[in-house]
Amino acid sequence: MAEFPAPKEGIALTHFIVSSDVDRSRRFYTEVLGGEAVLEGELSIVALANGWVTIGGPGEPTDDKPTVTLAPPSDPDHASSFLNIRVADIGAVYELWSARGAEFVTPPIDRGAEIRCYMRDPDGHLIEVGQLVGRPDG
């Protein structure tokens, strides 16, 4: 069973996404991408490879973020951040995740130092999937 992201020392990095349907998103990250749910409910956490995706619903400002409203992406063609997943075999991952229902923006494209493609989760969050095939600096 995957560990809950609560380090006994140091830090653990999770990627928090806002979803209009937390159960649907949790199923995407577990059933399509192959993660393991370590917390299910209004707030869900999925262990994915060596990291975690925390999924929560929309929300109004709170005392600790008094001017911030949480909402899923309103325009999927504009992104200020995205999840980046590095894989060993992009062709195999592309085929497997496509068969499980992932919708990719394009097939993998050879960019020289890497082969990459992008997909979206059910709320429109952008996810890059890439395989390094050389060093970016030469």
Side-chain angles (χ1 to χ4, degrees):
M1 176 162 187
E3 292 184 33
F4 193 80
K8 293 178 180 33
E9 60 182 66
I11 67 171
L13 183 65
T14 73
H15 186 72
F16 187 99
I17 63 166
V18 180
S19 175
S20 61
D21 184 334
V22 173
D23 290 335
R24 178 191 66 194
S25 289
R26 185 185 62 252
R27 287 191 308 273
F28 173 82
Y29 285 94
T30 58
E31 296 172 10
V32 176
L33 301 190
E36 181 181 342
V38 295
L39 180 67
E40 296 184 22
E42 256 181 69
L43 184 70
S44 289
I45 299 175
V46 174
L48 185 59
N50 60 342
W52 296 269
V53 178
T54 302
I55 308 163
E60 297 301 318
T62 57
D63 292 347
D64 55 348
K65 51 176 185 41
T67 63
V68 178
T69 299
L70 299 179
S74 59
D75 180 352
D77 291 330
H78 290 87
S80 62
S81 72
F82 55 87
L83 184 62
N84 181 291
I85 300 174
R86 291 287 173 204
V87 300
D89 184 342
I90 196 165
V93 167
Y94 177 81
E95 293 300 321
L96 176 63
W97 290 352
S98 292
R100 290 178 178 171
E103 295 182 16
F104 286 85
V105 176
T106 67
I109 296 174
D110 189 336
R111 311 274 307 160
E114 71 175 331
I115 303 168
R116 73 173 185 237
C117 54
Y118 292 85
M119 65 179 169
R120 296 188 190 282
D121 78 0
D123 285 290
H125 294 279
L126 190 63
I127 302 170
E128 177 184 305
V129 181
Q131 176 185 346
L132 291 176
V133 292
R135 289 193 48 106
D137 58 359

